[in-house]
């Protein structure tokens, strides 16, 4: 027992004197490790008599537990001291500004579309949507396209493989099928816009194979070209945020409208910029017209009772004009620098109360 008391004093003194975790671990190994002094005493119990084994075993186990507890307490104290030293040496100045974090932004196409939807919603138009993959009836036949029209050919339209039934599905070339689906499923009066993606075999500085349109449709009794003209001029004045919008209608041909027209807006092209509402130049902005009687009949509407007008405009093109973007293909380049320059805050949604752009 005298030897155990001496060993206990020595080991506890070594634990107390350990100046760091490495020194403390060395004391632990020397005392209770596989070849440690206390572990060696435990190995001698097998050669003792049962009486001595009972007495010495209890004393040695008590010493081992006491040393283990002392080591654990010392380790906790050393770790706390080490943490205090790190906190004292690794201070953080919270008064410094936080590092810059890259923020996302709304794509100009989506911003432009949201602006257009906000304006037409203010004018009483509802938003209608339809599938990107269409059939021949909704994309061509119901819209009065003749059988040999160029738009029905592969050089202008993305067609899928022919089905066993002979039908060929396609990527819609305009959002006009949404108008057809609305007229088939809904009785007049109708006042909708149809925003969405469209697809055509085309690619240059002002055309891409995938682009966005907003088309509008109004069907009711007594509708005439004057209603169409007022609607479009009101929209352009709100969209370009100027009252000085001068427009002109030029006769044109669309299979689905009669009469048909293209609408130009007066602008100034000097200085490498296009300024709406001033100058002496004209810029084509959209196509429009009165809904063709054949389209009304195909959708189950009596053209002798109801009339209507329709229009369609490119979202990407209007965004280019309003925000001065020279090349439409940049919108699809996935260049973060371009989006940082032209992008819009996600917290500034266009609306009639706080403004559009």
């Amino acid at each position: 027992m005298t030897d155990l008391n001496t060993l206990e004093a020595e080991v506890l003194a070594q634990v107390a004197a350990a100046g760091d975790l490495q020194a403390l671990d060395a004391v632990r190994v020397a005392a209770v490790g596989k070849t440690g002094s206390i572990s060696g005493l435990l190995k001698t119990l097998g050669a003792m008599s049962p009486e001595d084994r009972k007495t010495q075993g209890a004393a040695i186990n008590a010493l081992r537990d006491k040393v283990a507890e002392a080591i654990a307490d010392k380790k906790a104290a050393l770790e706390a001291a080490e943490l205090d030293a790190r906190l004292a040496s690794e201070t953080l100045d919270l008064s410094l500004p936080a590092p810059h974090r890259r923020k996302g932004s709304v794509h100009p196409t989506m911003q432009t579309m949201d602006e257009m939807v906000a304006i037409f919603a203010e004018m009483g138009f509802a938003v209608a949507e339809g599938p990107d993959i269409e059939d021949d009836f909704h994309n061509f036949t119901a819209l009065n396209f003749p059988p040999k029209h160029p738009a029905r050919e592969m050089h202008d339209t993305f067609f899928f493989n022919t089905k066993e039934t002979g039908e060929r599905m396609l990527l819609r070339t305009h959002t006009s099928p949404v108008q057809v689906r609305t007229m088939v499923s809904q009785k007049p009066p109708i006042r909708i816009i149809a925003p969405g993606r469209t697809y055509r075999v085309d690619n240059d500085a002002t055309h891409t194979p995938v682009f966005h349109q907003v088309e509008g449709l109004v069907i009711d009794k007594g509708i005439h070209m004057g209603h169409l003209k007022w609607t479009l001029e009101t929209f352009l004045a709100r969209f370009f945020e100027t009252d000085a919008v001068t427009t002109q209608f030029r006769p044109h041909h669309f299979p689905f409208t009669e009469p048909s027209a293209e609408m130009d807006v007066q602008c100034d092209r000097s200085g490498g910029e296009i300024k709406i509402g001033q100058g002496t130049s004209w810029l084509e902005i959209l196509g429009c017209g009165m809904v063709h009687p054949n389209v009304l009949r195909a959708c189950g509407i009596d053209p002798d009772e109801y009339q209507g007008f329709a229009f369609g405009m490119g979202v990407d093109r209007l965004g280019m004009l309003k925000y001065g973007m020279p090349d439409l293909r940049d919108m699809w380049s996935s260049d973060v620098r371009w989006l940082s320059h032209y992008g819009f805050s996600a917290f500034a949604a266009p609306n009639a109360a706080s403004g559009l752009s």
Side-chain angles (χ1 to χ4, degrees):
M1 293 298 294
T2 302
D3 293 338
L4 290 180
N5 291 335
T6 302
L7 180 60
E8 177 183 339
E10 292 177 354
V11 173
L12 293 179
Q14 293 173 0
V15 170
D20 53 42
L21 293 173
Q22 185 175 358
L24 180 64
D25 192 61
V27 174
R28 179 190 64 79
V29 172
V32 295
K34 289 185 178 180
T35 59
S37 55
I38 298 177
S39 300
L41 292 176
L42 290 172
K43 294 178 181 178
T44 63
L45 293 176
M48 297 181 184
S49 63
E51 294 78 7
D52 292 339
R53 188 184 306 122
K54 183 177 180 180
T55 304
Q56 290 293 329
I60 296 173
N61 281 319
L63 173 60
R64 183 186 62 181
D65 293 342
K66 189 172 184 178
V67 169
E69 182 179 355
I71 292 174
D73 293 341
K74 184 67 174 181
K75 182 179 179 182
L78 290 174
E79 288 177 342
E82 183 178 307
L83 178 59
D84 291 339
R86 286 185 60 190
L87 291 175
S89 62
E90 299 178 6
T91 56
L92 178 65
D93 186 357
L94 297 178
S95 65
L96 292 175
H100 174 73
R101 295 181 63 185
R102 180 177 294 174
K103 298 179 180 179
S105 57
V106 177
H107 194 281
T109 295
M110 296 298 101
Q111 171 72 18
T112 303
M113 185 177 292
D114 287 344
E115 292 179 18
M116 298 170 72
V117 170
I119 295 171
F120 282 116
E122 190 179 10
M123 298 167 66
F125 284 77
V127 175
E129 296 180 324
D132 287 17
I133 298 176
E134 274 292 0
D135 54 35
D136 183 272
F137 173 79
H138 290 93
N139 198 84
F140 294 128
T141 303
L143 293 167
N144 201 38
F145 279 84
K148 297 298 182 180
H149 193 280
R152 292 179 177 266
E153 302 301 325
M154 295 291 292
H155 63 75
D156 196 69
T157 300
F158 292 102
F159 284 96
F160 292 93
N161 293 333
T162 304
K163 295 183 177 181
E164 295 180 357
T165 59
E167 182 184 20
R168 286 194 305 175
M169 302 297 286
L170 54 100
L171 293 175
R172 64 183 182 185
T173 59
H174 43 197
T175 58
S176 301
V178 179
Q179 299 184 30
V180 174
R181 293 178 179 275
T182 302
M183 286 187 284
V184 169
S185 62
Q186 179 180 328
K187 293 182 179 181
I190 296 172
R191 187 185 300 182
I192 64 159
I193 56 171
R197 289 182 299 270
T198 54
Y199 311 83
R200 295 181 191 175
V201 184
D202 208 351
N203 189 32
D204 56 42
T206 56
H207 299 84
T208 55
V210 182
F211 58 102
H212 298 79
Q213 276 190 341
V214 168
E215 294 193 7
L217 173 70
V218 173
I219 303 292
D220 205 344
K221 296 179 179 180
I223 297 297
H224 53 74
M225 286 287 290
H227 297 131
L228 171 62
K229 185 174 186 293
W230 179 88
T231 299
L232 295 178
E233 289 183 345
T234 301
F235 164 75
L236 291 177
R238 292 282 286 114
F239 180 77
F240 289 108
E241 301 178 72
T242 175
D243 293 331
V245 174
T246 303
T247 62
Q248 68 177 12
F249 286 77
R250 289 180 291 105
H252 195 69
H253 170 71
F254 299 112
F256 33 81
T257 52
E258 181 60 38
S260 302
E262 286 189 337
M263 184 179 182
D264 302 333
V265 62
Q266 192 174 23
C267 65
D268 180 11
R269 297 176 181 266
S270 61
E273 298 181 0
I274 297 179
K275 300 176 182 179
I276 304 298
Q278 52 187 289
T280 58
S281 299
W282 294 94
L283 178 68
E284 177 190 332
I285 207 85
L286 56 87
C288 59
M290 301 300 293
V291 179
H292 199 292
N294 290 346
V295 175
L296 295 175
R297 293 190 188 97
C299 298
I301 297 176
D302 185 358
D304 294 327
E305 183 178 2
Y306 292 99
Q307 295 79 43
F309 64 78
F311 56 85
M313 59 192 85
V315 178
D316 315 87
R317 179 172 172 79
L318 285 177
M320 290 176 64
L321 293 175
K322 184 171 182 177
Y323 297 111
M325 294 174 280
D327 196 322
L328 182 64
R329 291 168 293 189
D330 289 337
M331 292 189 175
W332 306 91
S333 64
S334 300
D335 190 330
V336 176
R337 297 168 300 176
W338 183 90
L339 197 56
S340 297
H341 179 74
Y342 287 108
F344 294 82
S345 170
F347 299 101
N351 61 79
S354 61
L356 295 176
S357 56

